[in-house]
Amino acid sequence: MMEASDRPVEGNKDFRDFFFLGNLVSEKPSFITADYHHAKRHIASSNEGFFQFSMERTNAFKRYDTRSARLGSVLFKLVSLDSRADYHIRNTLDPDVVLLHLIFCGSAEFRLGQRRQQVSPGQIVLLEANDKSSKRWRAPTQLVIVRINRQALLKV
């Protein structure tokens, strides 16, 4: 049992790195913008072109910010996107990636091939990139995306 004096404190860098919480819960996002086009370019470039962000009414875009942390080969991203209109994120085929989406705020329709699934806060979605997928989000959204390398997963 841990004594109160043995508990790590938030300022302890080793604690933050071990639990990868330091970057995800920090007050400072690793990327933030209120410009739709800047967000679109960032999403495409930071995900090696596998994700495409689009909106029909770009003037409804308010803000995008993300925080990320890596634990081994697994990438954790806390994403917040605020918009007054629906927006879409399309994934192209990347057979080496498994994605977990943990929804905190907002709702979405996930599509994988011909299958469709509505999701709400508190739900988790697993996407394997064996087909093109898309997500249609409604209004402000906050979620954690866990990106797992399939080859690394097979080694475990």
Side-chain angles (χ1 to χ4, degrees):
M1 180 175 224
M2 280 175 69
E3 297 294 328
S5 61
D6 296 332
R7 290 189 186 137
V9 294
E10 187 170 338
N12 183 330
K13 184 178 180 339
D14 295 333
F15 169 73
R16 289 193 321 259
D17 288 348
F18 180 75
F19 287 101
F20 61 82
L21 292 174
N23 290 334
L24 289 183
V25 298
S26 74
E27 294 294 320
K28 182 181 173 200
S30 56
F31 177 83
I32 186 169
T33 186
D35 181 306
Y36 164 76
H37 298 288
H38 195 180
K40 182 176 180 171
R41 284 190 303 273
H42 174 76
I43 291 168
S45 66
S46 67
N47 292 289
E48 300 156 14
F50 289 115
F51 296 90
Q52 300 165 350
F53 173 60
S54 64
M55 292 181 70
E56 293 175 12
R57 295 182 15 219
T58 60
N59 62 340
F61 178 84
K62 288 184 174 181
R63 177 184 157 145
Y64 173 83
D65 76 59
T66 182
R67 298 161 175 89
S68 60
R70 188 171 291 280
L71 184 62
S73 63
V74 178
L75 178 67
F76 295 83
K77 253 187 187 176
L78 175 62
V79 176
S80 298
L81 200 147
D82 193 1
S83 168
R84 291 185 305 267
D86 292 358
Y87 55 95
H88 303 71
I89 296 180
R90 290 179 182 77
N91 302 19
T92 57
L93 295 174
D94 183 0
D96 196 39
V97 171
V98 175
L99 297 170
L100 281 173
H101 294 76
L102 297 95
I103 316 302
F104 294 132
C105 172
S107 64
E109 177 183 83
F110 280 73
R111 297 179 188 177
L112 182 61
Q114 297 298 317
R115 296 187 323 218
R116 295 177 184 212
Q117 180 65 48
Q118 294 289 343
V119 295
S120 302
Q123 293 185 305
I124 299 173
V125 177
L126 170 70
L127 283 178
E128 292 184 276
N130 53 7
D131 201 351
K132 291 184 179 181
S133 65
S134 69
K135 296 164 275 206
R136 180 182 175 103
W137 297 96
R138 292 170 188 85
T141 304
Q142 188 175 48
L143 71 151
V144 169
I145 300 171
V146 182
R147 184 177 177 154
I148 304 167
N149 176 300
R150 186 183 306 276
Q151 294 302 317
L153 189 61
L154 292 174
K155 291 178 185 178
V156 173

